Amino acid sequence: MPLDRIDEAAIRFVLTCQQPSTVSDGDCIAAADRLTDTLRTLGITAESVSVIGWIDPDCHVLGFAHRATAIGDHIADLTARQFHPDAPARWLAPVGEYLSRLTTLTRVAAATIVRDNESIVRSAP
């Protein structure tokens, strides 16, 4: 789904929402859940998802566990700067683009999106 096809209210909210001036390990849990809850309150379909980074291309060795918000086929991430200062402060991107760039920024072999009650979406190693 192209970015312009996501609900305009979701785009506006994610790109203008308040976020902490600094982020550290673990902040993603509260930030993702808060963003998901707020979007749902606005009537926008969203869900908190796990983002898993893998050290090896076979996805056996865990590099990191992270939380973000899925909005359709896009990921909104307000705390990715905990991994790298070049990560967007308010990151909204298609799943594939998000996983590819996050994999590069964190220097892991692969990354996976796990929807809590659904499928797994994995980046190409």
Side-chain angles (χ1 to χ4, degrees):
M1 174 188 300
L3 188 58
D4 60 5
R5 303 222 26 224
I6 293 179
D7 186 290
E8 229 179 276
I11 296 169
R12 196 169 35 254
F13 184 83
V14 170
L15 297 180
T16 61
C17 67
Q18 182 181 7
Q19 70 184 115
S21 55
T22 60
V23 292
S24 58
D25 189 28
D27 290 347
C28 58
I29 298 166
D33 288 346
R34 187 170 45 251
L35 177 59
T36 298
D37 290 346
T38 302
L39 290 170
R40 286 178 175 170
T41 300
L42 294 171
I44 298 164
T45 302
E47 65 177 314
S48 293
V49 294
S50 296
V51 183
I52 309 298
W54 302 100
I55 299 297
D56 64 313
D58 294 327
C59 302
H60 293 130
V61 181
L62 180 69
F64 65 82
H66 185 55
R67 292 292 278 176
T69 298
I71 308 165
D73 291 338
H74 286 69
I75 298 294
D77 189 339
L78 303 180
T79 61
R81 283 205 171 159
Q82 68 181 303
F83 297 115
H84 197 283
D86 290 340
R90 293 176 183 91
W91 196 351
L92 181 63
V95 170
E97 179 184 311
Y98 172 82
L99 289 174
S100 177
R101 187 157 179 215
L102 185 65
T103 299
T104 300
L105 289 171
T106 58
R107 297 182 182 174
V108 294
T112 304
I113 299 288
V114 181
R115 295 180 185 260
D116 290 345
N117 295 310
E118 214 175 283
S119 61
I120 295 175
V121 179
R122 182 170 290 141
S123 66

